[in-house]
């Protein structure tokens, strides 16, 4: 029996008549492998025991295992088998009993308790990566907060961003990290890095970038989405990419730049860029953190929105990797190939020479065991017109798998050929080890498809069908004849626009809706943009999903025990309407001014306007789909809807999601309200609603500190500084 500094004296007050033999850890291991390993791994057990069961009757744990396991057929094992598997769970959870094996005699009248000098350390569980882990699952096995007590959640502490940045920041989208009793976050327009006490929110240290003109010229400012953490067991380093595109390494204990990294802790990422001769500005930055895995830092690239680009030229969004200790460049992956490189022939008319963008502005993910980093690559320059870059344009809009040590291309799949909809890959690819042993990667998209691949080989799990799509009639445009459509899973939000999508609560409302869309073209998914005042008299194309999704950077959350992925999305119409570039741009056609039609202020399409979809990756089927919020007052009280029994409509935002052992948590996201909900993971049923000081805008995360579980997120509201808010159960 394993001796541990965490001593849990474990007893079960059994009301059994059949269990007289000693339990067997060996037999329990066999039962666990046969009945439990489909959903659980042994490494979870210590976290589960220390996070939920300390101080509780041991009989409650045994009875819960017996009542709920195996998940498909709870209670179907013999009592002796449940006793064996309980003994095994105790062992792998670093738990011992007074006499070693569990027997009926030795387990009477005892409770689960902890002693030992390092018990508090073992009761600390962090959140070390932007999406919780390198697999981008946004999952935690913590369950101190569960269905039985989540309604008691209250604010434990609040951290104000009022005094960070040149002016108070009203919108913060950071996701904090927690490691070794410190929380790290970003705040302020200049992207200050802050360390706080995870128990109280007290500020421990702050680092502020001073970029001068480089900051003034930066294409994207603000607090950014977060940070990256790395340690070799001795050094602990926090990495941030600044608005001016510097990669900075900070000592995690002090906030002081690491002297041995690059130039006194600061690496100038303007160096080595493939710039464009057609642009004077350097349009490149990154708002997401880099990814650190296998002792390699991988850094992406973001640019300005390219609906009205000044030129078809731009800096290329190459992906670069660095040594975490020194900042030495290890490799570069060219998302736009050079002559002689694979994919160059997908850029016709030498367009690879000058086209830019095609970076990775979204978060990445990695499989440390396979040594693979997964890149969700965005579109090339020109979000609405690609006539200057004819061809399919690899590696634009592709999911790319690289050897993280060398940058070698292992496999790729292009999800959109020649993007003219601004449907960048917006979210971190989610990695899952399914109960049947399959290793998959899921790319969520703005176009509302979840594309699922074998993450080792890149082969689609379900068929991808190259399907004919409408062609563009915009003068000078080149459009792809087909696009890949996955057979499964079904789309998680509406795709394409037809009269069947129109709001129809009454015949009068439906008639108004039909009249409102007459000036526009409509059609299926991948119907291309069209020009304002086209020869057929139309004024642009109505598109679903919107330019920003569908899904977007919030991504999804995966329950690794079940293989169910939860996806937030929004349903809102975009108008793809082009005008000549004229004096604004040297590009022939750019996005023009256009407002989606409405029915006296009501959305033109049927609700729900925002949703959360649960997709079973084992079967590819939807488990449930629910609105992301209640019906807003301006719809509920609209004169045209008087007397109508409205469904719960949701709102056109994307929820921030978090999955734990017990629950699915969801906020309402930027533009939503201050309600934070706990849902049943299996049904989507709302279990509790918690009122926040403002709207959830950063992704929710969770950790355990000194035996107490917290849920933390950035919240933002108009006319008030953004905050970081921590929720916990009352003491």
């Amino acid at each position: 029996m394993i001796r541990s500094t965490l001593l849990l004296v474990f007893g079960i007050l059994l009301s059994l008549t059949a269990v007289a033999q000693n339990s067997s850890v060996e037999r329990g291991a066999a039962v666990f492998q046969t009945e439990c390993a489909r959903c659980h791994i042994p490494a979870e057990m210590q976290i589960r025991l220390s996070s939920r069961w300390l101080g509780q009757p041991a009989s409650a744990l045994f009875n819960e295992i017996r009542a709920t396991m195996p998940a498909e057929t709870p209670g179907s094992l013999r009592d002796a088998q449940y006793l064996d598997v309980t003994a095994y769970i105790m062992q792998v959870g670093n738990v011992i009993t007074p006499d070693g094996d569990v027997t009926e005699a030795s387990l009477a009248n005892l409770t689960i308790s902890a002693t030992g000098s390092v018990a508090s350390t073992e009761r600390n569980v962090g959140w070390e990566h932007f999406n919780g882990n390198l697999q981008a699952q946004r999952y935690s096995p913590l369950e101190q907060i569960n269905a039985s007590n989540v309604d008691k959640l209250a604010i434990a502490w609040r951290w104000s961003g009022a005094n960070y940045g040149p002016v108070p920041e009203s919108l913060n989208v950071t996701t904090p990290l927690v490691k070794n009793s410190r929380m790290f976050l970003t705040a302020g327009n200049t992207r200050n890095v802050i360390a706080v006490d995870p128990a109280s929110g007290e500020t421990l240290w702050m680092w502020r970038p001073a970029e001068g003109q480089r900051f003034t010229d930066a294409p994207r400012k603000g607090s950014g989405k977060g940070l990256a953490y790395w340690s070799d067991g001795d050094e602990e380093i926090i990495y941030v990419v600044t608005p001016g595109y510097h990669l900075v390494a900070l000592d995690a204990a002090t906030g002081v730049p690491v002297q041995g990294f690059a130039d006194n802790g600061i690496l100038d990422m303007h160096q080595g860029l493939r710039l464009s001769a057609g642009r004077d500005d350097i349009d490149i930055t990154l708002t997401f953190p880099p990814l650190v895995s296998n002792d390699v830092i991988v850094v992406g690239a973001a640019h300005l929105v390219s609906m009205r680009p000044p030129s078809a030229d731009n800096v290329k969004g190459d992906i670069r990797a660095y040594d975490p200790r020194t900042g030495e460049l290890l490799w570069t992956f060219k998302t736009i190939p050079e002559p002689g490189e694979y994919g160059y022939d997908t850029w016709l008319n030498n367009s690879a020479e000058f086209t830019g963008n095609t970076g990775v502005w979204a978060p990445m993910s990695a499989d440390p065991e396979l040594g693979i980093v997964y890149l969700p690559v965005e579109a090339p320059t020109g979000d609405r017109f690609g006539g200057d870059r004819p061809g399919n344009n690899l590696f634009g809009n592709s999911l790319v798998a690289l050897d993280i040590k060398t940058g070698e291309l292992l496999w790729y799949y292009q999800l959109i050929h020649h993007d003219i909809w601004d449907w960048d890959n917006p979210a971190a690819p989610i990695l899952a080890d399914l109960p049947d042993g399959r290793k998959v990667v899921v790319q969520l998209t703005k176009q509302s498809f979840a594309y699922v691949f074998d993450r080792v080989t890149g082969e689609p799990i379900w068929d991808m069908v190259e399907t004919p799509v409408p062609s563009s009639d915009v003068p000078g445009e080149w459009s792809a004849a087909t696009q890949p459509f996955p057979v499964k899973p079904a789309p998680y939000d509406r795709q394409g626009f037809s009269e069947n999508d129109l709001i129809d609560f009454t015949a009068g409302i439906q008639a108004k809706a039909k009249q409102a869309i007459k000036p526009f073209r409509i059609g299926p998914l991948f119907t291309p943009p069209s020009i304002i005042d086209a020869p057929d008299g139309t004024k642009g194309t109505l598109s679903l999903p919107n330019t920003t999704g569908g899904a977007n950077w919030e991504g999804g959350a995966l329950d690794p025990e079940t293989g169910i992925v939860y996806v937030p999305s929004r349903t809102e119409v975009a108008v793809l309407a082009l005008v000549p570039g004229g004096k604004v741009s040297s590009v022939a056609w750019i996005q023009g001014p256009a407002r989606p039609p409405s029915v006296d202020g009501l959305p033109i399409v049927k609700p729900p306007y925002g949703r959360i979809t649960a997709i079973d990756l084992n079967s590819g089927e939807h488990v449930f789909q629910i609105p992301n919020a209640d019906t807003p007052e301006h719809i509920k009280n609209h004169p045209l809807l008087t007397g109508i029994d409205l469904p719960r409509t949701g709102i056109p935002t994307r929820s921030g999601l978090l999955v734990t052992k017990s629950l699915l948590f969801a906020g309402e996201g930027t533009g939503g309200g201050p309600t934070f909900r706990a849902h049943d993971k299996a049904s989507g049923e709302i279990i509790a609603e918690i009122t926040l000081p403002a709207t959830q805008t950063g992704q929710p995360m969770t950790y355990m500190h000194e035996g107490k579980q917290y849920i933390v997120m950035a919240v933002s509201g108009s006319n008030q500084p953004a905050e970081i808010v921590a929720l916990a159960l009352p003491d």
Side-chain angles (χ1 to χ4, degrees):
M1 182 60 68
I2 296 175
R3 293 284 168 179
S4 169
T5 52
L6 177 61
L7 173 62
L8 299 185
V9 183
F10 181 95
I12 301 176
L13 187 58
L14 295 170
S15 58
L16 306 176
T17 59
V19 180
Q21 65 181 40
N22 286 7
S23 67
S24 164
V25 169
E26 183 177 348
R27 288 196 307 267
V31 174
F32 188 95
Q33 184 62 34
T34 303
E35 304 293 344
C36 309
R38 294 187 300 278
C39 299
H40 302 279
I41 59 174
E44 298 174 23
M45 296 305 121
Q46 182 173 344
I47 293 174
R48 291 188 183 285
L49 293 175
S50 62
S51 67
R52 180 177 174 188
W53 292 99
L54 299 184
Q56 295 196 43
S59 56
L61 175 60
F62 174 83
N63 288 333
E64 177 158 315
I65 293 172
R66 183 171 56 177
T68 61
M69 297 294 147
E72 303 90 342
T73 55
S76 61
L77 306 182
R78 299 189 309 276
D79 287 327
Q81 289 177 295
Y82 282 114
L83 194 61
D84 289 341
V85 80
T86 300
Y88 173 70
I89 287 171
M90 290 162 53
Q91 185 193 63
V92 298
N94 285 337
V95 176
I96 63 175
T97 63
D99 302 314
D101 281 339
V102 180
T103 67
E104 183 177 0
S106 67
L107 296 177
N109 300 316
L110 297 174
T111 58
I112 303 171
S113 59
T115 61
S117 60
V118 296
S120 62
T121 300
E122 292 177 334
R123 294 165 63 201
N124 289 347
V125 180
W127 186 274
E128 297 181 25
H129 303 279
F130 172 76
N131 278 311
N133 54 22
L134 288 166
Q135 294 78 19
Q137 294 173 343
R138 301 204 58 75
Y139 171 83
S140 172
L142 296 177
E143 56 178 341
Q144 186 181 90
I145 299 168
N146 55 62
S148 69
N149 58 28
V150 65
D151 61 332
K152 298 180 176 61
L153 276 181
I155 293 175
W157 54 261
R158 297 165 68 171
W159 183 93
S160 174
N163 296 324
Y164 295 86
V167 295
E169 187 177 45
S170 61
L171 175 63
N172 187 306
V173 292
T174 190
T175 297
L177 306 182
V178 171
K179 179 67 176 177
N180 289 342
S181 300
R182 288 186 293 269
M183 174 181 287
F184 307 96
L185 56 96
T186 53
N189 202 35
T190 51
R191 203 165 303 160
N192 305 320
V193 180
I194 322 291
V196 305
D197 185 318
S200 66
E202 176 190 3
T203 298
L204 302 177
W205 57 253
M206 185 270 284
W207 177 83
R208 180 177 66 87
E211 297 184 290
Q213 190 63 39
R214 183 87 161 249
F215 171 77
T216 302
D217 296 340
R220 294 177 184 264
K221 301 176 176 65
S223 54
K225 309 297 196 302
L227 305 151
Y229 169 89
W230 174 83
S231 176
D232 61 0
D234 296 319
E235 274 191 298
E236 288 185 277
I237 301 177
I238 293 293
Y239 300 95
V240 65
V241 180
T242 67
Y245 210 39
H246 290 99
L247 174 61
V248 181
L250 304 174
D251 184 291
T254 64
V256 174
V258 177
Q259 297 303 298
F261 182 86
D263 183 8
N264 295 318
I266 301 175
L267 190 153
D268 185 354
M269 292 196 61
H270 278 188
Q271 301 302 313
L273 291 174
R274 291 193 290 163
L275 299 173
S276 168
R279 296 278 292 269
D280 293 330
D281 62 318
I282 302 181
D283 172 27
I284 197 164
T285 185
L286 187 66
T287 62
F288 279 94
L291 179 139
V292 189
S293 180
N294 300 76
D295 290 339
V296 177
I297 312 173
V298 186
V299 187
H303 304 72
L304 286 170
V305 174
S306 193
M307 291 190 199
R308 299 166 63 85
S311 167
D313 299 43
N314 204 4
V315 59
K316 291 170 168 50
D318 292 340
I319 310 307
R320 291 177 285 178
Y322 302 91
D323 184 287
R325 296 176 179 85
T326 66
E328 174 191 359
L329 179 67
L330 300 178
W331 51 259
T332 299
F333 178 74
K334 297 170 183 174
T335 55
I336 299 177
E338 293 189 322
E341 294 179 340
Y342 183 82
Y344 181 79
D345 60 353
T346 65
W347 299 81
L348 307 180
N349 299 348
N350 298 316
S351 54
E353 302 297 322
F354 58 83
T355 306
N357 295 73
T358 324
V360 175
W361 59 257
M364 301 174 245
S365 55
D367 186 325
E369 293 184 3
L370 295 175
I372 300 177
V373 60
Y374 298 88
L375 310 180
V377 184
E378 64 153 352
T381 307
D383 288 339
R384 286 286 187 266
F385 179 76
D388 298 301
R389 49 173 172 86
N392 280 349
N393 306 145
L394 287 177
F395 292 92
N397 302 88
S398 297
L399 175 58
V400 175
L402 305 179
D403 183 305
I404 195 168
K405 287 291 192 181
T406 66
E408 175 190 0
L409 175 65
L410 300 177
W411 61 262
Y412 76 92
Y413 202 101
Q414 189 175 50
L415 307 182
I416 298 178
H417 313 312
H418 190 83
D419 184 8
I420 48 178
W421 299 269
D422 189 25
W423 284 339
D424 302 331
N425 287 327
I430 300 171
L431 311 187
D433 293 336
L434 298 181
D436 65 3
R438 287 181 296 172
K439 294 180 178 292
V440 303
V441 55
V442 186
Q443 180 64 63
L444 303 178
T445 60
K446 292 182 180 180
Q447 60 268 31
S448 298
F449 276 135
Y451 299 82
V452 188
F453 304 91
D454 182 299
R455 73 172 184 264
V456 180
T457 67
E459 289 296 315
I461 296 299
W462 294 283
D463 287 344
M464 294 275 192
V465 180
E466 285 286 343
T467 304
V469 294
S471 298
S472 174
D473 63 359
V474 174
E477 183 61 276
W478 185 101
S479 54
T482 64
Q483 297 290 351
F485 282 63
V487 171
K488 281 187 175 183
Y492 46 79
D493 214 301
R494 218 166 280 155
Q495 293 180 326
F497 195 99
S498 73
E499 287 194 358
N500 291 332
D501 294 299
L502 294 175
I503 189 171
D504 61 356
F505 288 123
T506 69
I509 289 174
Q510 187 178 38
K512 283 176 175 281
K514 289 181 179 180
Q515 187 65 30
I517 67 170
K518 278 188 174 181
F520 302 96
R521 294 184 184 182
I522 61 176
L525 186 69
F526 294 113
T527 297
S530 57
I531 63 175
I532 293 178
D533 298 325
D536 63 2
T538 56
K539 298 182 179 297
T541 300
L542 298 184
S543 176
L544 276 173
N546 192 288
T547 301
T548 55
N552 207 289
W553 66 266
E554 298 86 354
L558 177 95
D559 188 336
E561 297 182 4
T562 62
I564 293 175
V565 64
Y566 302 89
V567 185
S569 62
R570 65 197 288 255
T571 306
E572 193 169 48
V573 178
V575 181
L576 315 183
L578 304 184
V579 297
K583 295 181 180 180
V584 174
S585 174
S586 62
V587 176
W589 300 96
I590 59 176
Q591 175 70 36
R595 174 177 290 185
S598 70
V599 177
D600 296 351
L602 290 173
I604 199 74
V605 296
K606 299 173 184 175
Y609 303 120
R611 58 192 83 195
I612 300 170
T613 305
I615 303 172
D616 187 341
L617 295 178
N618 303 285
S619 65
E621 302 296 332
H622 288 194
V623 179
F624 65 77
Q625 189 171 80
I626 58 172
N628 66 350
D630 296 331
T631 303
E633 293 298 319
H634 75 277
I635 292 178
K636 187 186 303 182
N637 299 322
H638 196 283
L640 289 179
L641 301 177
T642 301
I644 294 175
D645 185 16
L646 291 175
R648 190 167 178 258
T649 66
I651 53 178
T653 66
R654 294 175 303 270
S655 300
L657 302 184
L658 167 68
V659 180
T660 68
K661 170 64 179 173
S662 302
L663 296 164
L664 169 67
F665 291 95
E668 293 192 0
T670 304
T675 304
F676 187 63
R677 296 179 176 87
H679 297 265
D680 182 281
K681 293 192 302 183
S683 66
E685 176 189 357
I686 297 171
I687 294 175
E689 294 184 330
I690 298 97
T691 301
L692 302 171
T695 302
Q696 165 265 317
T697 51
Q699 294 289 79
M701 50 80 75
T702 189
Y703 60 94
M704 178 164 284
H705 180 72
E706 300 294 335
K708 189 181 186 80
Q709 184 182 356
Y710 297 82
I711 296 175
V712 171
M713 71 205 83
V715 300
S716 308
S718 59
N719 302 317
Q720 64 186 76
E723 296 182 78
I724 308 297
V725 173
L727 304 174
L729 297 172
D731 292 330

